[in-house]
Amino acid sequence: MPSELLVAPPPKSSSNLSTTTTATTAANGTTTTTTTTTITTVSANGTTTTTTTTTVSTTTTTTSNAITAPAPATSTATTISSLSGDELCEIFLRLPDLPALVRAALTCRSWLGAVRSSPAFRRVFRALHPAPLIGLFLELSGDTNPFFIPLRLSASNATAALRHGNFFLTSLPQSISGWTVTDCRDGYILLWNEMDDNHLSLATLNPMTWAVDILPLPRGMTAGSHRDFGLIGFHLQSSDENPWLFRVICVCADQHRVRAAIFSSETWDWVIQPWVDIGGDNSLKFNAGSLVDGSIYWPYHGEGRMIRINTNTLDITTIDLPGQVEVHGFNFKAGETKVDQLCIVYQFGLFLHVWIRSLDSDGTEIWVPQNVVSLIAEIDRITQEMHGSINIVQVRSGYVYLSMTCMTRWHTAQLVLLSFLGDLEA
């Protein structure tokens, strides 16, 4: 059997690779890199071959000694243009008066928008910066217009208002009987007049713009019938939202009832409310009421109570007065303190007695006596011991305004104007 010869395969060749890298850096920043590669190969017949490759590379690095400024930080400072409307209003509250606020609001649209869009801010500003008293209207006789007496003012804004305003009422229609001021507030004067043909006329006048509006009368109040209508007085109320709008409240009373008629400058019409029975005899005197914080207070003559008419809800209620108060003539007036708290001032002899409306521990409204003010020294100084009668004219913002008619030694009447300029609270 033939045999097969097994032959061994030829031996394979082998190789070995080695690499060495050396880097050196000179003082000038030059870096030299040397790479040596060695390949050793062994062939099948046992022969050894060595191959060496050397690679040299040079890199120059430039180093700068300059200092690079850091990137600017993002600014977080608050600028005037980034203030919100509420923040602007907080700043505006610190302005001294209304003219300063007007000038600030007209600076740019955003400032004007902040003032216009916030009725609450305007209410607070008016409360913190009440308009100054610039003068008084006096009725010297029944057939002439009221006479205006300006006060001595140092503020330039008030002085400018006196120079340019129509405080002498020259824009009113002429009448033999003359006009009577029945209320004055928030830049408007409310006047009424019995014209020559016995027609009652009612007008509002803005002394700064000289504008006069003759208002229509309530339905049913025709010539000579206003007495049958039960008219006892008018009050003027401006709008918190829009200073160009106003309302006139006409208070009417008969033997046992009271009602209100409301005129709106927005609709230019009256809304007459139904009668409300209040009991007792009709002892509400003409033009004896006061408008205080949205309510009208009218005392009963000779009685210890007064009615309250809420001008928002038009509810009519009765409030009892302190036991020692006896309303006769013009010895009593309701008003408000400097912090807009309801108060009453009662004149007895040469003293003013003040009560504040407050709440007791049970939450019930009560009258709390606050102060007694003596007028003796001041009246003696002014009148030189002449005798006369005292009338309480107004109680507003913590101030009591009085008038006094005295008889001189020559038997002539002399009118004296007084004001208790101080906080009504003790």
Side-chain angles (χ1 to χ4, degrees), residues 26-313:
N28 61 358
T30 301
T31 301
T32 302
T33 302
T34 304
T35 303
T36 302
T37 303
T38 303
I39 302 175
T40 303
T41 304
V42 180
S43 61
N45 57 4
T47 303
T48 301
T49 304
T50 300
T51 304
T52 300
T53 304
T54 300
T55 304
V56 179
S57 61
T58 302
T59 304
T60 301
T61 303
T62 302
T63 303
S64 175
N65 294 325
I67 300 176
T68 305
T74 303
S75 175
T76 59
T78 300
T79 63
I80 194 130
S81 60
S82 63
L83 296 177
S84 66
D86 292 339
E87 291 169 332
L88 287 172
C89 288
E90 284 295 326
I91 296 173
F92 290 159
L93 285 178
R94 290 158 175 78
L95 293 174
D97 50 32
L98 181 59
L101 175 63
V102 173
R103 288 191 292 268
L106 294 178
T107 301
C108 60
R109 290 185 178 180
S110 61
W111 292 16
L112 181 60
V115 174
R116 279 182 170 177
S117 62
S118 180
F121 160 75
R122 296 195 297 271
R123 286 193 295 269
V124 174
F125 189 91
R126 284 196 296 268
L128 295 176
H129 307 84
L133 179 67
I134 61 176
L136 302 170
F137 285 101
L138 299 180
E139 294 184 15
L140 301 181
S141 64
D143 56 357
T144 60
N145 289 341
F147 185 73
F148 182 73
I149 301 178
L151 301 181
R152 294 181 179 178
L153 301 171
S154 58
S156 59
N157 296 321
T159 304
L162 288 174
R163 285 200 307 265
H164 300 290
N166 180 24
F167 293 96
F168 294 99
L169 312 180
T170 56
S171 57
L172 287 171
Q174 296 297 318
S175 171
I176 296 178
S177 59
W179 292 85
T180 299
V181 174
T182 184
D183 203 354
C184 180
R185 64 182 69 238
D186 301 326
Y188 285 96
I189 304 172
L190 180 64
L191 308 102
W192 73 282
N193 170 287
E194 284 195 33
M195 302 296 281
D196 305 334
D197 55 359
N198 203 29
H199 282 206
L200 179 68
S201 294
L202 193 64
T204 58
L205 185 148
N206 185 329
M208 297 309 302
T209 64
W210 291 55
V212 176
D213 289 315
I214 303 299
L215 308 184
L217 297 178
R219 293 181 301 275
M221 187 182 293
T222 57
S225 67
H226 58 274
R227 295 178 180 85
D228 299 331
F229 195 78
L231 167 66
I232 60 174
F234 297 98
H235 285 284
L236 180 66
Q237 186 180 40
S238 62
S239 170
D240 290 333
E241 305 298 330
N242 188 342
W244 300 108
L245 299 179
F246 61 86
R247 298 198 304 170
V248 175
I249 300 97
C250 172
V251 181
C252 309
D254 67 2
Q255 189 67 25
H256 307 289
R257 303 177 301 174
V258 173
R259 70 176 176 183
I262 313 296
F263 173 82
S264 170
S265 64
E266 187 173 17
T267 62
W268 210 253
D269 197 8
W270 291 86
V271 176
I272 302 177
Q273 300 299 314
W275 289 102
V276 176
D277 196 326
I278 57 174
D281 296 329
N282 181 1
S283 58
L284 302 176
K285 298 302 181 182
F286 181 79
N287 210 26
S290 302
L291 177 61
V292 182
D293 192 26
S295 293
I296 295 174
Y297 298 89
W298 217 287
Y300 289 83
H301 184 78
E303 299 185 35
R305 58 178 182 150
M306 65 179 178
I307 63 169
R308 173 169 57 190
I309 304 175
N310 187 314
T311 60
N312 294 320
T313 64

Side-chain angles (χ1 to χ4, degrees), residues 353-371:
H353 299 259
V354 182
W355 286 264
I356 305 293
R357 194 66 166 168
S358 186
L359 299 176
D360 63 9
S361 58
D362 297 329
T364 303
E365 288 187 334
I366 58 173
W367 292 111
V368 178
Q370 288 295 308
N371 205 354

